[in-house]
Amino acid sequence: MSAARVAVTGLGLVCPLGAAFNEQVAVLAARLAAGERALRPHPPLAQLPDGGLAGVVGALDLDRFLLRRKDKKLLARPSALALACAGPLVSAYPGDRRELALYLGVGREPPDDGESEATLALSARDGLLDEGLLAGPGRDRYPPLLPLKTLPNMAPAHISINLGLMGENAAWAGVWGAGLLALRAGLRAVAEGRAPAALVGGADSRVDLGSARDRLRVGEEGAPAEGAALLLLEPEAEARSRGAKVYGWLVEADPAELGAIDARGVNIDQMGDLGAAAAPVAAVLALCGDRPRAVWAADPGLPALAVGVRPDTAC
Amino acid sequence: MHTVSPGSARGHAGALAALGDEAIVITGVGVLSAAGRGLGALSTALRADAPCWSPITSTLPVPRAAKVQVPLPPWDAPDGPFPDDRKAVLALVALEDALIDAGLAEGIPYGPGRRGVFLGTGLSSVTPAELAEDVYPHLTADQRFDRPAMARDLAPDRAAPRRHLPARVTAAVAARVGAEGPTGTNFSACAAAAQAIAEGLWALRRGEVDLAVVGGHDSMIHPLGLLSFVVLGALSPGFCRPFDRGRDGFMIGEGAATFVLERLGDARARGARPRAVLLGAGTSADAWNATAPHPEGAGAELSMRRALRDGGLSADDVQYVNCHGTGTPLGDEAETRAVARVFGDRVPVSSIKGAIGHTIAAAGALECAACVAALEGGFLPGTVGLDELDPEIAVPVVQAARPAALQVVLSNSFGFGGQNCSLLLGAAPPAGSAAP
């Protein structure tokens, strides 16, 4: 079976510098290229020794993509970022959403928004968890749906639920390598014919206190950040036949053959460390460049992965 | 990039003939479950319809759990390599057993760049030890958390920062097998391990690797893990009774299963014993609800149909479906409706979760292991806990294990949030034959 050439027909970026889709991404890329920074003091991190700078995304446009607005309380931050990034791309996709695949890179399990604190506090005795208290007053204060909020796979799940995607899918977890694995999985699924199209990328948020201090304790560099980036992939022949704009192509890549971009460090001084969103952000930005690049990433203790990005000059 | 698929439907023998030496076979299995250590222990328990759970002491309404009872190395001790992380211990013990089973414990005859690792993992979640070490020291007298003090507490020697790295077990497994090829950690909830196994299949099929170590691991039998399921209303206060008229939730389990995947030709060249063939895989999403499955099992149906398509087989080729079958009122009914649409009322189904519990992120791996046991041992696993079949269940449910010569079976795994995966497995080809 020969592999189809995989075109990128949609770009989505929700990052500390702002949100941009399709042609708008080039504008945001130009701002980054001009040296614009989006790191700001983030009050929850003010006590951290690095001064609490973080790359935080502003208000998200979610309501028009949520089937039920009350479900917003079920969205942990990565889920909200992912849905805000996916919404415009999926809304514009004319194909069958039942077959649209979704591969998303996600980070560590997201924290809740403080909902569990009462339970934890009420369950403490002498500095230890007291199971009797946990089963009594602690349990009474634990929101029933909170466990679902803190599952990393809820980011792709909420895209699926709210936007109707039923295609092949997976949630790949890690740090910088997770988003890259999602890009590769989508590339292969489309190239091999297992999916007629795929939404691929990553979403992560590392700007809560717990995540930020764990980053410092394991020695990760750069300010914590959050964001999401997605690419819509289709076989080039099908994309051309429906008249879709092609921004470029995802290809198999050897970093030694193409100019390599380390996803971990991409724009880190301007936007911070985007974690599982870093590689997809790098891929989206590379599609606005003028030459092929290999985006690569390696998680702690794991081999590097890479994917090739060939931009079209139209972006 | 190249792919080798079985082609059009020709049954198990036809699929193997089409694949030839390119068939992806399981040559090593390592299993830790409430049934014990090893595939033999799981097979024995399933043949005997043995309930493997035991009573647990919990202040929460969780009377029993399916816990791994065999002795384990103390790697999750405070001074161990994986402090406060039992699922890592389960994964690494299962890995060693899989390597021994595959004859690879002393060396792997494939280049490091040709070895891949794909594992499904579960929540690290906050444990009592983490609370004691990292959270409660900052609880003030007025029952609030002192955030500035937490921010200043950056001691690097705590377990929590590393416990919460999702890929840490994958990294440990990759280091043990010297993998420098692709690796991945799947976090698709209860479908995680099955999706990881699928990725290993596809990596081998496209020629990206020569060896894939795949599987899953999870352990949430600790107070905050149990609380999560209790508040969701997912756990049965009594017994897990898949497909039963009175089913009311699942029983929590824990475990790990690890598999060594290779191409048949490579396996035979080094004298390895294929234990089963991994024929295909399919995934899908429900696009329905965060807390409940699609009532008609629409996503489940897509997952099963995609696995059949990926394996180049038809529904008529399948002789058994190992259901996700958690024992929840909605889940079992939705799944069996989907099974009925795909397979009619011909194919027997069962669930092993009444025996070894719901092992969450590991479930897809342990149930894949159960399918290998069924194919090798020639039996249909029964459904422990099933007393009175729900009349709404419109497929033939195997209540008690019974002998059956199986060639092709399918295993379902469905996750919270509506992510699904189905694996299609076949009996190993006869020794020495290029194709049956």
Side-chain angles (χ1 to χ4, degrees):
Chain A
M1 183 186 300
S2 61
R5 197 170 188 222
V6 176
V8 180
T9 59
L11 303 172
L13 192 55
V14 174
C15 66
L17 211 57
F21 298 90
N22 299 326
E23 288 89 346
Q24 302 167 349
V25 172
V27 177
L28 200 148
R31 288 168 56 196
L32 280 168
E36 189 170 337
R37 285 166 54 95
L39 298 178
R40 305 279 184 273
H42 186 43
L45 310 183
Q47 300 295 325
L48 289 176
D50 63 0
L53 284 182
V56 179
V57 174
L60 298 174
D61 178 13
L62 283 176
D63 285 350
R64 65 191 173 112
F65 302 121
L66 279 168
L67 290 177
R68 294 170 292 270
R69 289 190 182 186
K70 67 177 183 179
D71 285 354
K72 197 183 289 187
K73 67 178 184 297
L74 295 177
L75 300 180
R77 188 67 178 165
S79 297
L81 293 164
L83 183 59
C85 193
L89 298 183
V90 176
S91 298
Y93 175 64
D96 182 358
R97 295 187 192 183
R98 281 171 50 95
E99 296 297 327
L100 180 57
L102 174 61
Y103 298 95
L104 201 70
V106 294
R108 55 179 264 175
E109 52 228 64
D112 58 50
D113 295 313
E115 298 98 317
S116 64
E117 286 193 9
T119 293
L120 297 180
L122 290 167
S123 304
R125 188 193 303 274
D126 300 329
L128 299 172
L129 179 75
D130 183 296
E131 293 189 39
L133 294 173
L134 180 73
R139 177 187 173 184
D140 292 343
R141 296 291 297 274
Y142 203 73
L145 298 182
L146 185 58
L148 294 178
K149 183 173 178 176
T150 57
L151 285 170
N153 67 300
M154 293 311 289
H158 283 294
I159 293 176
S160 163
I161 292 164
N162 288 287
L163 302 174
L165 274 61
M166 299 181 76
E168 298 263 2
N169 73 88
W172 293 103
V175 195
W176 313 280
L180 196 60
L181 197 66
L183 296 177
R184 287 161 54 104
L187 166 63
R188 274 74 180 271
V190 174
E192 294 166 5
R194 283 187 285 109
L199 193 64
V200 302
D204 206 348
S205 179
R206 326 184 81 203
V207 299
D208 63 285
L209 178 59
S211 301
R213 74 177 185 135
D214 278 357
R215 287 185 70 254
L216 288 174
R217 293 196 288 191
V218 298
E220 290 183 12
E221 296 174 353
E226 62 178 5
L230 289 165
L231 297 82
L232 182 62
L233 307 181
E234 300 177 67
E236 181 171 13
E238 281 72 8
R240 299 283 189 202
S241 70
R242 74 172 179 89
K245 183 175 179 62
V246 172
Y247 296 93
W249 300 267
L250 278 197
V251 297
E252 299 290 331
D254 179 349
E257 294 174 3
L258 299 173
I261 300 170
D262 178 358
R264 178 175 180 168
V266 67
N267 300 110
I268 193 168
D269 294 334
Q270 294 168 273
M271 295 198 292
D273 179 353
L274 293 157
V281 167
V284 167
L285 294 174
L287 283 159
C288 298
D290 57 2
R291 62 193 171 99
R293 305 294 296 266
V295 177
W296 70 275
D299 277 357
L302 288 167
L305 300 168
V307 70
V309 179
R310 292 187 181 276
D312 199 347
T313 54
C315 183
Chain B
M1 184 184 301
H2 72 280
T3 52
V4 179
S5 68
S8 59
R10 286 179 296 269
H12 178 250
L16 286 186
L19 290 165
D21 283 348
E22 298 294 309
I24 309 305
V25 294
I26 296 171
T27 55
V29 183
V31 180
L32 276 172
S33 72
R37 184 170 179 172
L39 188 63
L42 179 63
S43 182
T44 299
L46 294 178
R47 283 172 183 272
D49 296 312
C52 301
W53 45 262
S54 54
I56 64 170
T57 302
S58 173
T59 53
L60 292 161
V62 185
R64 56 190 60 81
K67 197 170 171 64
V68 173
Q69 303 281 5
V70 299
L72 295 171
W75 296 334
D76 55 345
D79 57 349
F82 298 95
D84 198 23
D85 197 352
R86 182 170 166 88
K87 67 180 184 301
V89 181
L90 298 173
L92 292 166
V93 170
L95 169 68
E96 286 306 315
D97 289 352
L99 292 174
I100 291 167
D101 189 42
L104 297 174
E106 303 302 323
I108 296 175
Y110 306 113
R114 305 289 300 166
R115 307 172 194 171
V117 176
F118 301 96
L119 300 177
T121 195
L123 287 170
S124 59
S125 52
V126 177
T127 62
E130 180 175 342
L131 289 172
E133 180 187 70
D134 219 27
V135 178
Y136 284 154
H138 308 298
L139 183 63
T140 62
D142 62 350
Q143 299 282 293
R144 304 178 72 85
F145 289 100
D146 183 346
R147 291 181 174 278
M150 292 177 89
R152 289 190 299 270
D153 177 6
L154 296 169
D157 60 343
R158 306 286 168 77
R162 289 173 180 78
R163 271 189 73 245
H164 290 296
L165 289 172
R168 67 179 312 211
V169 177
T170 304
V173 170
R176 169 64 182 90
V177 301
E180 295 180 9
T183 63
T185 305
N186 192 292
F187 217 130
S188 295
C190 312
Q195 289 195 351
I197 293 168
E199 195 63 28
L201 163 69
W202 293 324
L204 274 158
R205 194 188 277 173
R206 72 172 67 97
E208 188 178 8
V209 296
D210 296 326
L211 173 108
V213 174
V214 299
H217 48 270
D218 209 351
S219 174
M220 291 193 71
I221 307 178
H222 56 77
L224 285 157
L226 296 176
L227 176 67
S228 299
F229 295 114
V230 167
V231 298
L232 276 171
L235 293 182
S236 170
F239 296 89
C240 176
R241 291 173 288 179
F243 314 119
D244 193 278
R245 183 195 287 268
R247 66 189 181 278
D248 56 4
F250 65 77
M251 171 179 60
I252 191 74
E254 65 172 4
T258 304
F259 304 92
V260 173
L261 306 182
E262 301 169 80
R263 289 183 204 87
L264 176 61
D266 292 339
R268 282 187 169 153
R270 68 175 188 86
R273 170 187 55 147
R275 304 195 69 158
V277 186
L278 192 52
L279 290 166
T283 65
S284 71
D286 275 7
W288 182 252
N289 190 289
T291 58
H294 188 285
E296 298 299 322
E301 178 182 355
L302 285 172
S303 175
M304 288 185 275
R305 292 197 187 281
R306 287 173 183 154
L308 291 169
R309 183 183 66 191
D310 188 58
L313 296 178
S314 74
D316 290 341
D317 297 317
V318 175
Q319 293 142 344
Y320 165 66
V321 175
N322 183 285
C323 283
H324 188 57
T326 55
T328 58
L330 294 176
D332 289 6
E333 189 170 336
E335 181 178 12
T336 51
R337 284 181 176 170
V339 169
R341 286 197 301 279
V342 176
F343 297 103
D345 60 1
R346 178 191 60 82
V347 179
V349 310
S350 69
S351 165
I352 66 168
K353 287 186 172 70
I356 66 163
H358 188 352
T359 55
I360 313 297
L366 286 159
E367 288 156 27
C368 181
C371 287
V372 174
L375 287 162
E376 282 190 334
F379 71 98
L380 292 169
T383 305
V384 171
L386 170 61
D387 291 327
E388 183 182 0
L389 185 67
D390 182 344
E392 295 297 317
I393 302 294
V395 294
V397 178
V398 184
Q399 186 171 17
R402 64 175 189 260
L406 301 172
Q407 294 294 308
V408 178
V409 304
L410 184 134
S411 180
N412 283 334
S413 297
F414 306 144
F416 281 119
Q419 289 170 294
N420 311 303
C421 185
S422 300
L423 300 174
L424 192 65
L425 294 103
S433 67

